[in-house]
Amino acid sequence: MHRFHSTPDRCAAPIFSLTDAEARHASQVLRLQPGDRVEVIDGQGGLIEAEILVSGRRGVEVRALHRQLQARAPGNLVLCQALLKGKALETVLEKSVELGASRVVLLETERCVARVPADEAERKRSSWSQTLIEAAKQSRNAWLPELVGPLPLAPALEGLGPANRTRLLVASLEPGTPPLGAVLRSLPTASDEASLAVAIGPEGDFSPAELERFRAAGAHSASLGPLILRAETAAIAALAILADVARRWRSGVRLPATNLGHSHPSSPSPT
């Protein structure tokens, strides 16, 4: 069944129209006709099975047949991602939806190669939002993550950390950094309301000063292994691990305790 996105206010009515872009795709690309069944996600957990009533150049109108509220992925996962160049950021945004992130915070850091001029900000955010929507449709995730930023590090950190019920980890390439799994096992089990966040640096990693700012904000440094990963690979790996830990915490499974003193001095974390 083909899947489309609409905003909660638009698709709340029993009969509603798809947005112009979605309607063009449905009628002109997919050639869907009246009577065809489709799914519509609203980005806030709503998953609607609907029947097309009208399909043409003037728009697509559907009637809701069945509505359900999809359970949100556990853990309130937050990805803090430094801006990346090219397709790398699109990949990170796409995979953040597939892995169930509830929020993506884009960071402007010292070593970011990618920059967003003020006159490009609106267009970029529109493009990033569309990437999230397409990933949600593909993965049948009815929840769209909140997209925040790009922000400098200082204001971004104001919304993270223990004061905001967030357990923040930062991927670090510094020698002697304990593995991410060991750091997670050292943390007490989080409540359903708490957020679990991970920060991933740009191609050149966070600077030493930025890592200190993270630690001053209560972040735990963590290594993602002995190899140097691309930034987008690091984000995907870290989110996947955090998602698994969040599911274990939700089900009441405690991770085995660990001694952070037994870290591997030669295993930096990639970003």
Side-chain angles (χ1 to χ4, degrees):
M1 191 180 298
H2 294 290
R3 202 166 295 123
F4 300 91
H5 168 262
S6 189
T7 56
D9 57 333
R10 178 185 285 268
C11 60
I15 296 176
F16 59 94
S17 299
L18 298 182
T19 62
D20 291 345
E22 295 284 70
R24 282 194 298 272
H25 185 66
S27 63
Q28 299 176 33
V29 178
L30 299 175
R31 306 286 185 180
L32 298 180
Q33 300 297 320
D36 287 339
R37 299 288 181 91
V38 297
E39 280 188 333
V40 181
I41 61 173
D42 68 3
Q44 293 297 310
L47 186 63
I48 304 161
E49 182 180 346
E51 177 186 12
I52 294 180
L53 300 178
V54 177
S55 179
R57 291 190 175 274
R58 293 189 176 182
V60 173
E61 191 173 78
V62 302
R63 175 174 57 216
L65 301 176
H66 177 71
R67 298 174 184 267
Q68 69 179 84
L69 182 63
Q70 185 183 78
R72 189 157 203 168
N76 296 319
L77 301 182
V78 181
L79 173 64
C80 302
Q81 175 64 62
L83 286 174
L84 303 175
K85 61 183 179 180
K87 296 288 186 180
L89 184 56
E90 291 183 23
T91 298
V92 169
L93 293 174
E94 178 182 274
K95 302 312 174 187
S96 71
V97 177
E98 294 180 24
L99 291 166
S102 58
R103 185 163 25 128
V104 178
V105 182
L106 299 179
L107 305 175
E108 297 171 338
T109 66
E110 292 179 27
R111 296 174 178 173
C112 280
V113 176
R115 299 289 176 180
V116 180
D119 59 352
E120 285 284 299
E122 185 175 347
R123 185 186 67 81
K124 284 286 190 181
R125 279 191 60 86
S126 177
S127 175
W128 295 331
S129 295
Q130 190 59 39
T131 297
L132 296 175
I133 288 170
E134 292 302 321
K137 288 158 57 177
Q138 181 277 324
S139 62
R140 203 170 184 256
N141 184 353
W143 292 93
L144 282 173
E146 178 189 5
L147 181 62
V148 180
L151 294 174
L153 192 55
L157 285 174
E158 290 177 2
L160 301 167
N164 295 280
R165 300 176 63 82
T166 301
R167 301 201 176 156
L168 177 59
L169 303 104
V170 55
S172 172
L173 285 166
E174 294 178 313
T177 302
L180 176 58
V183 175
L184 288 168
R185 287 192 292 271
S186 74
L187 300 177
T189 301
S191 66
D192 289 348
E193 296 77 21
S195 296
L196 194 55
V198 62
I200 305 295
E203 290 87 348
D205 195 19
F206 293 117
S207 70
E210 287 170 336
L211 289 172
E212 283 303 317
R213 296 192 74 167
F214 273 110
R215 285 190 281 265
H220 303 267
S221 296
S223 165
L224 298 182
L227 304 178
I228 303 298
L229 306 180
R230 296 181 68 90
E232 60 270 34
T233 307
I236 295 167
L239 265 184
I241 293 170
L242 263 60
D244 180 65
V245 168
R247 284 191 291 269
R248 289 168 182 259
W249 281 348
R250 174 68 65 88
S251 63
V253 177
R254 294 186 63 86
L255 299 176
T258 189
N259 182 354
L260 293 184
H262 294 101
S263 61
H264 303 288
S266 61
S267 58
S269 100
T271 51

